[in-house]
Structures are given as structure tokens and as C-alpha cells.
Amino acid sequence: MFRIQGFFNPYLSVGQSRLDTVLTISSDVQIVPHAGGRKVVGFVLDVSGSMGGEKLSQAKNAARRGIDMLSEDMWFFVVSFSGSADIVVKASPATAANKTFAHSAIQGLRASGSTSMSAGLKTAYHQVRSSGASMASVYFQTDGENGAEDSMHLTAVIEECKGVFQCDCRGIGTDWKPAELRTIASALLGTADAVTDPAGLEEDLQAFLRRSMSKGISGAVLRVWSPKVVKLLTVKQMSPDIMDLMPVAKRVDEKTLDVPLGAWGNEARDFQLAFELPSGAADEEVLACRASVVYLEGGVETKVTCDPIAVRWSSDDMLTTRISKEVAHYTGQKELADSIQEGLEAKAKGDEDKATRLLGRAAKLAQESGNEEVTRRLKKVVDVIDADAGTVRLKKSDKAADMELELGGTRTVRRRTGTVGDAVSSN
């Protein structure tokens, strides 16, 4: 079902205390109707006053088309929100009759009022709970900033929703804050992105549904056990998106940390872990961690383990200067994402020289790693003169292009693993 494999250099220079490793987790989950329990998909639609016209029209059309994709063994619900939230379609099986009702109910939505994201999420939470689903995913869309008075409520509601459903967030147009959507999505193990042209909502929503319907196991956990003398510094998902998972990790005991991984289908993801080790003399060895994937199969907890992540200190430069190709690859992808973020921040402050330099570096890194998605988004913000040299020229300011790049800059590409000498074998 699951396989976990570690990549790192098993030798450290004397005096070195940081260890970086990449864990590749793959699964061959097969989707069997009803075998994994009930699945529910939620559509949470912003109907505040600013959503009037083309935006709401396209959002309603996308939701209706998406509902038509659902098989009858799935459940769904529709929630609309502005200053408060309403249940448009309560959690129900995706039968022909319920789909027909949903089409009519969605078509009747009208735009008015302010924006309370917490209200939309809170109502989605109750619908997931009432459905009795074992696996739930939500598509949350908005076109504006959250109301100032709702900020405190939003933080509390996000905490309540953790572990109940995964949530992909989409900003429509350009009058919303990327940080707000990124906060929701990262806490709820989803993605955040911009759909600056409302006409793109249908394609994006259908891609979300295909991903959701491909999942067969929910609630998988990465369990990391380390000795007391070892400190786990970071856990980040590095593929398919960069996502900091430390804020959602749960401490089991002094030595064990559980990191939620959400729902899985037939797929592979990469994670980067960093450890702070005690100091060691030449030829001394230390165990950094024992990593495993824990999940429920047929109601029974199952654990798949990786061979121990252990390193030895050495004074042999031939050993200690070897670089794990997997670690190097994702270090580069992280630098790519950071260059984009810092470059866009410099651009917003009017520092064109710094922005050009950083976005040029991003163009070079994207080219070298074959990251076509980020390259495509970069080319909307800069003219790439020479990608190999990192030479670019800023284009005329385009808020939509900047927002698309800001949120899409964390997309990564995977490196083919299995290089001899790089991996610790796994079960």
C-alpha cells in the first residue's frame, strides 16, 4: 500500500550538527467504491456584494458542472457565504434527483453583503460532520478580503476544521489577500491559488474534483521518532507543493511527532526533514530518527517503516562532501520559491533592480530543474532574455500575473530517485 524511502548523506564532518534528509512516500491505493467509507465533497461559494456579475455567474456554472461529475456513491454539499453562511444544498448522496435540485438552488444565488470566511468554513465543518464521511474535501472560493471583525473568528474556526476536511482555496479576480487563503489552505492540507479570470473556474474546479475522487485512504500520518538528544527542526512537504507541516504536527510524547499527510491515492510525495544532532567525534554514530507511515486499513492501524536514518561523523572529506541529489534538488526548489517571493516583495516596494535580480535567479533555477509550471507563470511577470544566465526584464506591472506567480511559486517538480549510494532502503 505505502512505501517510504530516505535519501541523505550518511556521513557528517566532525563538528557538523545539522542533517537534511528527503523522505519519498508513495502509495498504490486502488479506489474501490464504498471500501474506504463515505466520501463527501463540499463547494463553498462567496456570494458577497463584490461577487456580482461575471464572477458569480462563472462560479455558479463551475459548481453545477462539477456536481455533474460526481458518481452516485459520493456525497456533496453546497454552502454560500457573505456576512453569514447558508446551506444551499445539505450533505446528500450525488443522485440524479439531488443533482437536479442542486442545479436549481445554485442558479438562484445572488450577490450581496460583506465577507465572513469563518462563517463559510464553520458551516462546511458542520456539513462534513453531519454526513458521517470518512474522507472530505472542500473547494473554497472568494473574491475579496475577509472582514476585519472576522479575523479572530477565522483563526478559531480553522483550528476546529483541522483533521475534519482538506481544503483547496481559490481567489477570484485580484481584490483578495493571498496570505489569507494560504493560511487556510496550509492549515487544512490543501492548496491556494489564483483564478484571476473567472472563466478559468470550471477547469480548475474539475481538476480539484479529479484529485479528490482519486483518493482512497484518508488520515495518513508521518510518524517521526527521534532520541531525546536529537531535535527535529523542520518538516516540509516539497512535492508537489512546498508546504510547512510543522504547524500542524502533533506531539505524541517526548520522542514522537505525528505529521498529518491527509488523503492519498496512487501517488508519490517528497518531504524534507532537518535535524539538529549532538556533537560527535570521528567514527561515532547517531540515530537521527525512525520514520514510518501510519494509516487505517479496514479499521486496523497499519504501519510501514523506513530503514533508520542514522549518520556517522568522519574526517574523510571524500565521504562527508558527497551531496544527496534529492536533498540538493529540493534545496534548489526552495531557493526558487524564496527568490520569487522576495522578488515580488521588492517589485511591490518599487525596488526594480532587486526584483529583476531575484526573478532572474528564479528563471534560472526553474529552467535548470525543468519546472515548467513556474516558468510559465514567471513569463507573465518578466521577459526572459537568457534563462541560463538568469537575465530577465520586468514587464509592465500586472497585479493578476503577480498574484498567480506568488501563489504558484511553490509548485515543484520531482527528481527521479533511486541513485546508488543516495538512499536508505525501506520496507
Side-chain angles (χ1 to χ4, degrees):
M1 187 76 75
F2 278 93
R3 185 168 183 262
I4 178 171
Q5 193 172 19
F7 298 87
F8 61 99
N9 183 352
Y11 296 96
L12 293 179
S13 299
V14 175
Q16 186 176 348
S17 61
R18 179 185 171 100
L19 171 67
D20 286 284
T21 183
V22 168
L23 296 180
T24 291
I25 300 175
S26 56
S27 81
D28 58 358
V29 176
Q30 301 301 312
I31 309 303
V32 179
H34 306 295
R38 180 176 295 165
K39 290 184 183 179
V40 64
V41 174
F43 304 82
V44 180
L45 314 180
D46 184 350
V47 293
S48 59
S50 58
M51 276 289 292
E54 181 69 6
K55 285 186 283 190
L56 185 56
S57 176
Q58 292 288 356
K60 293 193 294 185
N61 179 66
R64 293 171 62 204
R65 298 278 190 178
I67 288 168
D68 285 341
M69 290 177 60
L70 302 178
S71 57
E72 289 201 358
D73 62 298
M74 294 190 70
W75 281 45
F76 76 101
F77 64 86
V78 182
V79 167
S80 65
F81 73 95
S82 52
S84 58
D86 292 306
I87 300 169
V88 181
V89 181
K90 70 177 183 178
S92 312
T95 62
N98 286 336
K99 288 180 180 180
T100 298
F101 172 79
H103 275 266
S104 176
I106 291 170
Q107 199 57 29
L109 293 174
R110 298 290 181 266
S112 66
S114 57
T115 303
S116 174
M117 295 182 186
S118 70
L121 290 173
K122 182 77 170 182
T123 305
Y125 168 88
H126 287 301
Q127 285 300 294
V128 171
R129 287 296 198 197
S130 69
S131 73
S134 61
M135 191 180 305
S137 52
V138 167
Y139 188 85
F140 179 96
Q141 57 187 42
T142 183
D143 80 322
E145 296 181 19
N146 198 35
E149 66 283 355
D150 191 50
S151 296
M152 290 182 60
H153 296 297
L154 181 59
T155 300
V157 170
I158 290 173
E159 284 298 314
E160 194 172 11
C161 292
K162 284 182 179 178
V164 178
F165 60 83
Q166 291 183 229
C167 185
D168 278 18
C169 299
R170 298 295 181 262
I172 308 170
T174 59
D175 296 325
W176 47 276
K177 289 184 177 180
E180 289 181 339
L181 296 195
R182 192 182 289 115
T183 296
I184 297 170
S186 61
L188 303 183
L189 302 180
T191 64
D193 209 345
V195 184
T196 54
D197 182 354
L201 280 170
E202 181 178 339
E203 180 181 356
D204 186 81
L205 176 53
Q206 291 186 7
F208 160 80
L209 289 172
R210 286 191 291 271
R211 291 192 300 273
S212 299
M213 291 187 290
S214 72
K215 307 301 182 184
I217 283 183
S218 64
V221 169
L222 170 63
R223 180 162 293 167
V224 182
W225 181 95
S226 294
K228 288 184 179 180
V229 295
V230 174
K231 182 179 180 181
L232 178 60
L233 300 174
T234 61
V235 180
K236 292 182 179 180
Q237 177 182 287
M238 300 304 294
S239 172
D241 298 271
I242 298 175
M243 185 186 304
D244 186 3
L245 297 177
M246 283 297 278
V248 298
K250 297 180 180 179
R251 177 63 62 182
V252 178
D253 55 41
E254 289 182 310
K255 299 179 181 179
T256 310
L257 196 70
D258 275 358
V259 184
L261 303 179
W264 283 70
N266 191 337
E267 60 185 299
R269 304 179 204 168
D270 294 323
F271 303 84
Q272 188 165 17
L273 282 65
F275 300 91
E276 182 180 303
L277 309 175
S279 58
D283 294 327
E284 286 187 348
E285 189 175 34
V286 65
L287 173 66
C289 84
R290 298 183 187 275
S292 57
V293 177
V294 181
Y295 62 99
L296 291 178
E297 185 175 15
V300 178
E301 183 175 283
T302 304
K303 181 164 71 172
V304 178
T305 62
C306 176
D307 279 1
I309 307 297
V311 295
R312 182 183 297 275
W313 283 278
S314 173
S315 55
D316 186 343
D317 290 344
M318 292 291 290
L319 296 175
T320 61
T321 56
R322 292 189 335 184
I323 299 175
S324 164
K325 294 179 175 62
E326 284 69 26
V327 172
H329 173 76
Y330 285 115
T331 299
Q333 293 293 285
K334 178 63 166 60
E335 184 184 355
L336 167 58
D338 290 344
S339 296
I340 288 172
Q341 186 67 38
E342 293 171 19
L344 289 173
E345 289 174 359
K347 183 172 181 282
K349 294 176 181 177
D351 190 342
E352 294 191 356
D353 289 341
K354 183 177 180 181
T356 301
R357 175 173 53 81
L358 287 166
L359 295 177
R361 176 61 177 163
K364 178 179 173 64
L365 291 168
Q367 163 95 347
E368 290 174 347
S369 63
N371 195 325
E372 297 179 358
E373 171 64 16
V374 169
T375 295
R376 180 184 67 81
R377 296 188 187 222
L378 266 168
K379 287 182 176 179
K380 293 183 179 182
V381 178
V382 299
D383 289 315
V384 179
I385 310 302
D386 185 343
D388 292 333
T391 306
V392 302
R393 180 175 56 243
L394 291 180
K395 289 186 174 182
K396 184 178 179 181
S397 185
D398 182 338
K399 186 177 180 181
D402 288 354
M403 295 179 83
E404 288 180 12
L405 179 59
E406 180 175 355
L407 287 175
T410 57
R411 303 284 190 274
T412 61
V413 290
R414 299 193 69 231
R415 181 189 178 275
R416 190 174 299 171
T417 58
T419 304
V420 175
D422 279 348
V424 173
S425 61
S426 62
N427 297 327

